[in-house]
Amino acid sequence: MTSSPSAAASASVLDLAPVVPVVVVEDAADAVPLARALVAGGLPAIEVTLRTPAALDAIRAVAAEVPDAVVGAGTVITPGQVADAVAAGARFLVSPGWTEALLDAMRGSGVPFLPGVSTTSEVVALLERGVREMKFFPAEAAGGTAYLKSLAGPLPGARFCPTGGIGPASAPEYLALPNVGCVGGSWMLPKEAVAARDWDRVTALAREAARLRAG
């Protein structure tokens, strides 16, 4: 795990921890204690999805108040969102898919990014453009570990963060693949725990997730 925020900024997002929590923040006031709980459990890379009105404020708060967190923006689908997320303090960007315009914006953002792919052609197109780290989404629906395993031979240069339908039981199978650096998931953030602001439970679940390693 990266030992400092400055080191984390230069490291690959795929190498910060075995799991990147995918966070949907409904109330920006929850962002800081939630992030602190995840960091305390050993998960410093936190993807805040741009699915709610509170998302940018949440990123801004975590970036300002939780120095040990590496906060990023997820569900980035427009160039405008790229600019807004980086202005709010996002230190990496994740998209469910990509277009030329979105890829250009992410390239120009100055922060690491994981464009989403679900087909071999999309992976090849990104490799042609020099992009080697990607999000595989929706992982389970798009073929899961069998699909990723089949890509490792012909496309060894691509590395993935699979996200979508992954839980604590299936995560180790993904992490055991040579072309998977980490997985994304939200199982360490049960809705009832977040609603109750049970941050100790979040930390405990994050700690379990942080122990997942390739077998």
Side-chain angles (χ1 to χ4, degrees):
M1 184 182 304
T2 304
S3 59
S4 70
S6 59
S10 61
S12 166
V13 175
L14 300 186
D15 297 326
L16 294 178
V19 180
V20 175
V22 179
V23 182
V24 179
V25 178
E26 301 290 348
D27 184 347
D30 290 336
V32 167
L34 186 154
R36 286 175 176 158
L38 292 171
V39 170
L43 301 181
I46 302 169
E47 176 188 335
V48 177
T49 67
L50 301 185
R51 301 180 192 175
T52 68
L56 290 174
D57 285 338
I59 292 171
R60 194 171 292 112
V62 174
E65 299 182 45
V66 191
D68 290 332
V70 181
V71 64
T75 321
V76 177
I77 58 174
T78 69
Q81 287 180 326
V82 170
D84 291 343
V86 173
R91 293 167 62 183
F92 65 92
L93 305 169
V94 184
S95 69
W98 64 278
T99 63
E100 294 291 350
L102 181 57
L103 187 63
D104 286 346
M106 291 192 293
R107 276 185 180 279
S109 69
V111 301
F113 58 93
L114 297 174
V117 297
S118 60
T119 69
T120 305
S121 294
E122 291 169 332
V123 176
V124 171
L126 286 177
L127 290 172
E128 282 185 350
R129 291 158 175 78
V131 178
R132 300 192 175 278
E133 298 188 342
M134 313 166 195
K135 172 180 180 176
F136 179 58
F137 176 84
E140 287 289 280
T145 55
Y147 193 94
L148 286 174
K149 188 181 297 184
S150 72
L151 294 183
L155 302 173
R159 293 182 74 213
F160 301 96
C161 174
T163 306
I166 299 174
S170 58
E173 299 175 20
Y174 283 93
L175 293 168
L177 298 176
N179 54 353
V180 170
C182 64
V183 301
S186 57
W187 71 85
M188 71 297 301
L189 296 162
K191 289 183 179 180
E192 66 275 12
V194 175
R197 295 177 170 82
D198 187 352
W199 309 126
D200 288 341
R201 184 180 176 198
V202 170
T203 294
L205 292 170
R207 188 171 292 116
E208 292 175 5
R211 295 193 186 108
L212 296 174
R213 300 292 177 191

